Amino acid sequence: MLSAAPSPFARLDALPREARDTLFLLLVIGWVVLPQVANLPVWCSVLAAGVLLWRGWLAVNSRPLPGKWWLAALLVIAVAGTFMTHRTVLGRDAGVTMLVVLLALKTLELRARRDAFVIFFLGFFTMLTNFFFSQSLLTAAAMLVALLGLLTALVNAHMPVGRPPLAQAARTAGTMALLGAPIMAVLFVLFPRLAPLWGIPSDAMSGRSGLSATMQVGNLASLALDETIAMRVKFQGPTPQQSDLYFRGPVLSSFDGREWRALQPRLGSFASTVLAGNARLEVAGTPVRYEVTMEPSNRPWLMVMDAAVNPPVTPGFASVMTSELQWVASRPITDLVRYSAESYPVFRHGPQVSAVALPPQYTELPPGFNPRTLALAAQMRQDPALSGAGNAALVQAAINRLRTGGYRYTLDPGVYGADTADEFWFDRKEGFCEHIASAFAVLMRAMDIPARVVTGYQGGERNSVDGFWVLRQSDAHAWTEVWLAGRGWVRVDPTSAVAPGRTGSFQRLQPPRGALATAFGNVTPELAINFRAAWDALNNSWNQWVLNYTQSKQLDMLKNLGFESPSWEDLSYVLIALVVATALVGAAWTLWDRRQHDPWLRLLARTRRRLHEAGLDIPPTAPPRQIATLVTARFGTSAQAVADWLLALEMQRYARTPQAGLAALQRQFKQLAWPR
Amino acid sequence: MDTAVLHPVRFTRQRFRQWWQSRLPLSDIMTLTQRNVYILPTRPGFMLGATMLLLLIGSINYQLNLGYLLTFLLAGSAVVGMHVCHATLRGLTMSLLSPEAQFAGTSATLTVQLTNTRKTTRYGIGMAILEATHEDRWVWTDVPAQAMATVHVAFKPERRGLHRVPPLTAETRFPLGTFRVWTVWRPAAQVLVYPAPEAFPPPLPPGEPRAGGAAAMRVNSTGEFDGVRAYRRGDPLKLVVWKKAAKADELVSRDTQQAQRYELWLDYAQAGAGVEAKLSRLAAWVVQADKIGLDFGLRLPGQEIKPASGEAHKRRCLEALALC
C-alpha cells in the first residue's frame, strides 16, 4: 500500500528532541567548516562531510552510534592523511586540518552534555582558524552567525524540560550576544595590543595574490581579473592629476629573455646604495600628502606615488628606499597596514650621472632573443631623421610607432612564444601592459638607451561614498623608465600610447563578467556602480575601524582621553577603572533591588512601622483589612479614619477603581491623624 | 569518630556544612535574593575560560583583530550568561506544601511550588533533596512567566518519628552551563514518618474475648481471627463489610456473634522482639486490619487506643506508632 511521503519539515518536527538537537549542532558545525573548504585538503573536506552526514543519518533513524574501533580507525586515517598532505602534524595548515577532522569525528561520540561542550570549544578554534585566511566583513558576518549557532546549541542543551523550540534558545543566545557586545567593544578598544608572542609563523600569509618580484610576460594578466583590493588611498588636499597616480612597486631591470627581475644588490653596502639613491633625487613643487591603507601582501614593498623623498610614516617598523626609488619596509607586510606619505609629482632622478656610470645591466639584453627587434633598433638608429636628434627623439619615435602602427590593447593576447618582443612588435601587435612595457624596454635597450620596467599600481577608482581611492589588483600596471642624458630616469608609459584611456581616464578593459552581473549591470548600471561603491566603503570602514585598530591607534585614543604620554599600562588602568565602575553600578543596583520596591507594599510597611511606634504590633503577614480591625479594636472610633484609609488601600490593590489612585493614598497617609 | 581520624578534611567540611546549614532560617516559603543564591563556575566554565585564553593567544600571535573580536564577544556573552544564570534563580519564590505523613523507607514526594513574578520564563530549574546522592535526583522544570510551577521531589525517610523536612536545594545551569547557581533551603515543615510496615507480617493475632463477655474463655483454636464470614442469604445489609466487598468479588458479612464476643487488639507485647521490629509488625497489622475493614485496638506501652475502624483511626494508630 502506498502512503503519501511526509514533507521533510513535518518529519523534522516529528523527530525526537535529541535527534533534532543533534541535527542542529551538525548544521552549525557544517557552517563553521564550510568557509574552510577552499583551504583544506580535499580528502579532509570529504571525510568531514561524510562523517557529518553519517551522524545526521544515525540521528534521524535513531541508530546506535559507532563503536570505539570505528573512531580509532577514522582517527588513524585522519592523522595519516594529515601527515601525508602536510608532511607534519604540527604547524598552522596541518593544525587546521586536524582540528576540522577532530571536530567532525567528535560528533560520532556525541552522547552526553560533556561531549557537546567539547564540540562547542573545538568549534570556536575552527572559527578562529577561518581568520587566518580572511578577515573580511563577509567572513565576520558568517562567523557571527556561527557564534550565534553554537551559543544557541549550548543554550538549548541547558533547557532540559520538554522540547523547547530552537527559536527560544536562539532568542536567548541573541540577547546574550547583544548584551555582551558592549563588553566586547570595551575590551576590543582597551585590551593592550601585544606583539606576536613567538613571531608570526612563516606560513601565516600564503595564498595571497599580488605583485611579484618577477614579471614573466603574461602574469599580470591574471591579476587583471582579480578584483580584490590592493590598497586604499586618502588624499589630503587636492587629488593629483589622474595620470600621475603611479604607485611604485618593484623595479625590474634584469631581463633574461623570458622574465624580468629586480637587479641583484651588487657588491658594496646596501646603505651606501640607499644614500646614493637619495642624493640623486631632486624634487620640485608642492608635495601631495596622502594616507595609504595597504592590504597584506607578504612582501616588504610599501607602495608610494612617484616620487617620495621622505620615508612613509609607518607604525612599528622602518623603511628604506632602494636606488631605484622603491620604498621597502624592514619586514613583510603581513597584516593590514596604514601609513602616511608625501610625494612630489615633479621630480628628477639621477640626472647628474653620466650614461657610462650607470650600471651596464640597464642596457643588457640576452643574446639570441628577439632578432627582429634588434634589427628594428639598428634601423631606427640609422634613420637619418633621428640620428642627430638624440635619445629623446628615438624614444618619441618608438612611441609614435606604438600609437600609429595598429597596436591594440587587450586582456587576451594569447600565449607568447620565446621572442616576446618580436611577437609583439611584428606578429600579434596586441597585448597587455606588460607585453607592451617589456617589448618597449627591449627596443630601448637594443638602441643602447638604458631602460627598465617598473611595476606597481596605476589609477584606481574614487569611491563616491567615502572619498577613498581604491586600487585593486586589476589596477596592477607595468611601465618603463628610460634614462636620458641631463634628465635622468624618465617615465615612459608605452601602454598609454597604445590605449590612452588606460592611464588617462581610467577606462580599463572590463574583464568578462558572470551572466548575472552582466544582466544586473545592463539593466541598472547606475545602481550596480552605486552598490559596489557602498559595499567598498563599508569594507573600507571595516578595515579602518576594526582590522586596522593597532597599538598606535589605541594610544592615540588614550591621548584624546587626556593621557600625556600614554603607555599600555595606562590602558590597563582605564580597563580596571571601567571594571570597578561597572562593579559599583552593579552593587548599587543590588542594594536598590534588595529594598522592597513595590510602592503598595512599601506603603503597607510604613503603616506597620507607624502603628508599631504607637504601640500596636502588627504581624508581617496581616493584610490591610486585618490591620484595620486591629486598629479599631485598640484605639476605638478615634482611629476610624485610619481604618477607612486601610480599607481604601485594600481596595486599591484588589478592586481597583479609577478613583482609588496610589498617589492619593500616599498623600492621605501623611495627612492622617495617626493614633499615638 | 573513625571518619574524623581517617578524613580530617572531609570531617571539617562536613562540620562546616552543618554549621552553615544551621545558620539558614527555617521557612516554608523562601524568596531567593542575592543573599541566599550562590554562584560558582562549573568545570565546563573553566574550560570555556581556557578556550578564551587560547583564542586570545592565537589572536595575539597571528595579530587577528577579528580574533580579538570573537574572543571578546564570547567573553561578553559568557559574562551576560553568568548574569542570566544568577537571575534565573534570583527572585524566584519557593513554597513547600505541607507534606503528608508517610511510611519509613518508602519513597514519597514533597510538593514544592515555584512562583515566578517576572515577565519572562525561568528555564531549567532543578530541585532535589540536598543530601540525596544518586545521579538522577534532580527534577527539572521551567517556570513560565508570571506563573507557578509545581515540582515533586522524591523523598525517602529512613527513620520513623516526627522529622523536619530535609533541606532542599535548587540549582540552574541555564543558559550556558558554565556557571552553577544554587541555593539551600531549610523548610520549617515537619513530616511524620510511620514505622516501615514489616514486609511479610505474621497473620493478625487472635481476637480477645470482650471483657465480661459470655465466651470469655473460648479461644479460637486456629489462632485466626474470624470476625467475618461469607455472605449468607438473609444477612442484613448493614452487616456487609462493603470495603472488603469492594476489594474482593464476594460479599462478606460481619459475624455479629464473633464481633460482639471478640475484639482484635494489636498488642505491643505480642508483636515479636525488638522495639523497631515490633513497631514494624504493628504497623503492618494496622494496615492489614484497616484493609479488611476490621475494628481494632492498639496497645502500646503507656498508651491504649480503643478499637475502632476507618481512616482517621488508622492514622491515629500509625501516628502513635511513629511517635512511640
Side-chain angles (χ1 to χ4, degrees), chain A residues 36 59 75 162 248 272 294 322 353 431 439 450-451 489 497 502 528 540 548 550 556 589 609 613 618 626 640 673-674:
Chain A
Q36 292 279 44
L75 193 63
R248 196 180 190 91
S272 71
M294 201 166 74
T322 68
V353 187
W489 289 103
R502 167 65 181 84
N540 185 31
N548 200 29
T550 54
D556 282 353
W589 180 82
R609 274 202 299 278
E613 284 165 20
I618 309 285
Q626 195 189 338
Q640 192 56 49
W674 290 92

Side-chain angles (χ1 to χ4, degrees), chain A residues 92 113 117-118 120-121 124-125 127-128 131-132 134-136 140 144 147 151 154-155 158-161 168 172 176-177 179-181 183-184 187-188 191-201 204 335 542 546-549 589-590 593-594, chain B residues 33-35 42-45 47-52 54-84 90 123-125 140-142 172-178:
Chain A
R92 191 198 66 178
R113 194 176 290 176
F117 269 118
V118 173
F120 183 73
F121 297 137
F124 276 105
F125 288 120
M127 278 165 72
L128 187 74
F131 302 147
F132 292 149
S134 161
Q135 293 197 75
S136 72
L144 180 65
L147 174 81
L151 282 179
L154 201 57
V155 171
H158 289 94
M159 297 166 91
V161 182
Q168 182 55 52
T172 306
M176 284 198 303
L179 294 177
I183 299 178
M184 172 194 77
L187 283 174
F188 182 77
F191 185 83
R193 291 298 187 276
L194 307 170
L197 300 178
W198 56 87
I200 293 191
D335 53 16
W542 172 254
V546 178
L547 298 189
N548 200 29
Y549 189 78
W589 180 82
T590 308
D593 191 52
R594 189 179 292 170
Chain B
T33 62
Q34 308 270 0
R35 282 161 178 259
T42 57
R43 197 173 300 175
M47 259 171 79
L48 180 71
T51 304
M52 287 194 292
L54 285 175
L55 287 178
L56 191 61
I57 290 173
S59 306
I60 291 172
N61 209 45
Y62 285 87
Q63 303 279 298
L64 300 171
N65 264 359
L66 209 48
Y68 282 118
L69 277 181
L70 172 72
T71 313
F72 297 148
L73 185 56
L74 185 59
S77 303
V79 169
V80 175
M82 177 180 77
H83 183 79
V84 169
R90 195 183 57 228
Y123 291 99
I125 294 171
W140 297 97
T141 185
D142 295 342
T172 183
R173 294 180 184 215
F174 180 84
L176 295 180
T178 49

Side-chain angles (χ1 to χ4, degrees), chain A residues 504-644:
Chain A
S505 53
F506 308 113
Q507 296 161 348
R508 276 177 289 124
L509 293 183
Q510 288 295 316
R513 290 187 299 178
L516 186 70
T518 312
F520 188 55
N522 286 345
V523 176
T524 52
E526 201 104 317
L527 185 66
I529 289 168
N530 287 343
F531 180 77
R532 183 164 137 157
W535 173 244
D536 281 347
L538 191 66
N539 264 313
N540 185 31
S541 15
W542 172 254
N543 285 348
Q544 300 295 332
W545 289 103
V546 178
L547 298 189
N548 200 29
Y549 189 78
T550 54
Q551 194 177 27
S552 54
K553 277 187 124 180
Q554 240 177 355
L555 298 181
D556 282 353
M557 184 211 60
L558 279 191
K559 252 179 212 158
N560 292 340
L561 282 181
F563 287 86
E564 281 186 1
S565 53
S567 63
W568 68 268
E569 285 99 334
D570 295 333
L571 277 175
S572 322
Y573 295 148
V574 174
L575 200 58
I576 290 169
L578 272 176
V579 168
V580 168
T582 317
L584 284 179
V585 168
W589 180 82
T590 308
L591 276 178
W592 179 83
D593 191 52
R594 189 179 292 170
R595 284 176 44 197
Q596 184 69 262
H597 45 258
D598 179 339
W600 190 87
L601 287 177
R602 240 179 15 217
L603 201 53
L604 197 64
R606 279 168 73 190
T607 311
R608 210 177 291 126
R609 274 202 299 278
R610 203 66 182 256
L611 291 170
H612 175 76
E613 284 165 20
L616 179 62
D617 275 333
I618 309 285
T621 50
R625 185 172 289 271
Q626 195 189 338
I627 300 177
T629 319
L630 289 171
V631 166
T632 42
R634 172 75 176 269
F635 302 106
T637 48
S638 67
Q640 192 56 49
V642 173
D644 289 346

Side-chain angles (χ1 to χ4, degrees), chain B residues 255-288:
Chain B
D255 190 331
T256 46
Q257 287 189 347
Q258 295 278 4
Q260 276 166 5
R261 262 182 250 150
Y262 295 95
E263 286 180 328
L264 173 59
W265 278 95
L266 307 176
D267 194 338
Y268 180 79
Q270 296 173 11
V275 179
E276 293 304 319
K278 281 181 174 190
L279 292 173
S280 275
R281 180 163 300 171
L282 287 174
W285 278 344
V286 167
V287 172
Q288 204 177 338

